[in-house]
Amino acid sequence: MALIITDECINCDVCEPECPNQAISQGEEIYEINPDLCTECVGHYDTPQCVEVCPVSCIIVDPNRVEDHEQLIEKYRFLTTGANRAPQG
């Protein structure tokens, strides 16, 4: 599953540098997570680092982007090895 940042975001800037996949960027009003780059830190850490550092708990699982652990691993491998095929999901 990819994560999303809700409207409760206070633009504190702590999540963006924590993302190992560079999936987080400043949007028009709040930070946003690119679901094609978000692996919930699978392959890097045991827990999503953005969630760990968020002071207002505004980062949640995106119910519209359901991916299981294996799909997240596949996405991680694709992102880190530059594989020629896109992840399934």
Side-chain angles (χ1 to χ4, degrees):
M1 292 171 258
L3 301 173
I4 58 172
I5 298 175
T6 66
D7 291 341
E8 287 80 29
C9 177
I10 59 172
N11 290 311
C12 67
D13 302 321
V14 298
C15 62
E16 183 181 23
E18 295 300 319
C19 182
N21 297 325
Q22 299 177 328
I24 302 173
S25 62
Q26 180 64 51
E28 288 187 32
E29 295 185 25
I30 61 173
Y31 277 89
E32 298 175 347
I33 298 177
N34 179 337
D36 294 329
L37 299 178
C38 179
T39 63
E40 292 186 41
C41 289
V42 168
H44 296 283
Y45 301 101
D46 292 334
T47 59
Q49 297 302 286
C50 59
V51 173
E52 294 289 324
V53 299
C54 181
V56 293
S57 301
C58 68
I59 304 171
I60 61 170
V61 172
D62 183 350
N64 297 317
R65 186 73 182 235
V66 177
E67 297 167 300
D68 64 26
H69 185 77
E70 288 303 314
Q71 290 170 311
L72 293 171
I73 287 286
E74 186 176 334
K75 189 190 307 185
Y76 161 78
R77 289 182 183 139
F78 175 77
L79 292 171
T80 58
T81 65
N84 290 329
R85 63 183 187 90
Q88 304 288 316

